Amino acid sequence: MPEISLPKDIRDDVLTVLYRHVGALPWMTMTGRMKSRYYTEWIEDPAIGGQLADYQTADNMRVWLKDGPLKEYARAIEGVGSYARYTTRRLSTPDEFLQEILGKEWQVIPDSIGEKPMHCQTTNGHTARYLCWGGQRTFKDLVWAAVNQAVRLKSRPIIVVYTLGDEVIPASQQEQQHAIAEHCGVELRYVERRWENHTPH
């Protein structure tokens, strides 16, 4: 990814406007082709590409947008990483869906949240369990992460696949995923996550 050296005020302005646009779209469930046309729009937008034009070519702007702030968007809406401060909305916290699937006595262990994929350690005061989560397109990554934990932990890891808005995971796909999870010795659960407003700062 070409690194664009920008004055802080311009970088902040560009990222704030960009994430406001992204936040108004169902970005996390859009296909690559659907996303592609927005890259062109944003490069031509005076508030985004117009401000970047003094520092980079249009081709490199596109690569920077795709491999920088837009690649990091999934982490940013979890409140993770340097781009998180620019988001206009974030996903509900893991505490919420953790208690939905395991019960109110379960909590995220402080300072245990990590990434690649998003994960944490949970406890009910007696037992600790590894939990990782992501959208349906991350299922393979979630399985690999959980299996790596399963070989060294006594408790069964949990994979959480979440949906957003009107997103639906076909029953046949869920059946296959459950079969894979069972074969690998991990638990699989599905949840619907909420969006929460966030003020960029």
Side-chain angles (χ1 to χ4, degrees):
M1 179 187 72
E3 185 60 38
I4 301 180
S5 179
L6 298 171
K8 184 179 184 303
D9 59 338
I10 291 179
R11 177 184 171 83
D12 286 347
D13 286 348
V14 166
L15 291 174
T16 298
V17 173
L18 176 65
Y19 271 19
R20 185 169 67 244
H21 285 310
V22 177
L25 297 168
W27 191 257
M28 296 300 294
T29 57
M30 290 168 60
T31 65
R33 178 173 293 185
M34 292 168 65
K35 293 176 179 179
S36 182
R37 72 179 183 89
Y38 287 101
Y39 301 148
T40 301
E41 287 186 15
W42 294 331
I43 289 170
E44 296 174 351
D45 187 333
I48 300 175
Q51 295 209 74
L52 297 175
D54 290 337
Y55 305 93
Q56 198 53 273
T57 65
D59 286 344
N60 282 343
M61 282 183 217
R62 185 183 183 91
V63 176
W64 179 75
L65 289 171
K66 181 178 179 181
D67 293 345
L70 296 176
K71 183 177 181 180
E72 292 294 312
Y73 187 68
R75 296 171 65 237
I77 57 177
E78 296 278 4
V80 174
S82 61
Y83 291 94
R85 61 189 294 257
Y86 301 103
T87 58
T88 57
R89 57 180 185 167
R90 291 185 182 173
L91 293 175
S92 54
T93 66
D95 291 278
E96 185 172 292
F97 65 75
L98 169 64
Q99 294 183 3
E100 176 184 334
I101 63 177
L102 292 181
K104 293 185 178 180
E105 69 274 17
W106 286 84
Q107 296 182 339
V108 174
I109 296 176
D111 301 319
S112 71
I113 293 180
E115 54 182 307
K116 297 183 179 180
M118 294 301 300
H119 66 273
C120 69
Q121 295 287 336
T122 70
T123 184
N124 62 356
H126 306 286
T127 302
R129 298 184 70 178
Y130 171 87
L131 183 149
C132 59
W133 64 92
Q136 59 175 310
R137 295 175 187 171
T138 68
F139 181 71
K140 292 181 180 178
D141 295 329
L142 298 175
V143 169
W144 180 245
V147 167
N148 273 282
Q149 295 296 319
V151 298
R152 67 181 189 85
L153 297 177
K154 294 181 180 179
S155 58
R156 193 181 189 194
I158 309 169
I159 291 173
V160 174
V161 176
Y162 67 78
T163 57
L164 296 169
D166 297 330
E167 185 181 14
V168 175
I169 301 176
S172 58
Q173 184 175 330
Q174 291 190 37
E175 183 177 350
Q176 182 184 33
Q177 290 178 345
H178 273 293
I180 292 170
E182 186 65 28
H183 179 76
C184 293
V186 300
E187 182 177 347
L188 171 62
R189 304 293 292 270
Y190 295 94
V191 300
E192 181 178 345
R193 295 183 74 182
R194 297 181 302 104
W195 286 106
E196 298 176 343
N197 292 332
H198 176 259
T199 302
H201 61 278

